[in-house]
Amino acid sequence: MNPQDYDVPTQFTHWAGDPAEDRIGPFFYRIEQGVVYSAFRVQAAHCNSHASAHGGLLMAFADYTLCIAANEGKEESVATVTCSNEFVGPAVAGDLVCGLAEVTRRGGSLVFVRAVLSVEERAILTSSGVIKRLRSKR
C-alpha cells in the first residue's frame, strides 16, 4: 500500500501482514533513530455518529503503534498481552492521526511500550501495553 494514496506523508511505509489493519486503516509507520512514528488519515467511514473517529479504531491504531515499537518494524510476530488506553480528545474526518511510541523495557519475551496519538501535536489518546514476542515453532 502506498501512503500517498491515503494522504499520508511519503516518509511512512506500510507494514504488510495484517489484513484486519489494512481493512480498518490502513496504517503506516516510520522509524528514525529507534523512535517509532505511525500515521493514518481519518476518513468518513472511520467516524461514529458524533462525526469523530471511532474509539475502537483509535485503540486498534494504538495497538498497531505499540506492536511496531515492540517488533521494531521487522517481520517478527508479536501479540498484545495488555493494552490500556485513555481518550483525551477527538479526531475527525480529514485529520492525520500520528502516533509516537517508546519502549520502556525490552525483556526476552515481553516488551513494555507506551504511545501517544495526536492530531497536529494535540494529544487525543494515550496508551500503554505489554507485547509478547512470539517465537517461531520448529
Side-chain angles (χ1 to χ4, degrees), residues 102-120:
E102 171 188 26
V103 171
T104 57
R105 185 176 193 290
R106 182 180 302 279
S109 65
L110 295 177
V111 183
F112 298 80
V113 190
R114 60 182 167 205
V116 175
L117 305 185
S118 60
V119 172
E120 296 181 1

Side-chain angles (χ1 to χ4, degrees), residues 15-19 21 63-64 66-81 106-111 130-137:
W15 189 86
D18 195 323
E21 291 168 350
D63 181 64
Y64 167 88
L66 297 172
C67 288
I68 291 291
N71 75 4
E72 300 173 313
K74 298 175 184 163
E75 291 188 24
E76 177 183 27
S77 292
V78 296
T80 305
V81 176
R106 182 180 302 279
S109 65
L110 295 177
V111 183
V130 178
I131 309 299
K132 171 89 171 147
R133 300 172 68 197
L134 302 176
R135 307 231 190 275
S136 61
K137 295 180 182 177

Side-chain angles (χ1 to χ4, degrees), residues 32-45:
E32 291 180 9
Q33 298 177 332
V35 178
V36 172
Y37 301 90
S38 58
F40 84 100
R41 181 73 63 180
V42 179
Q43 302 168 22

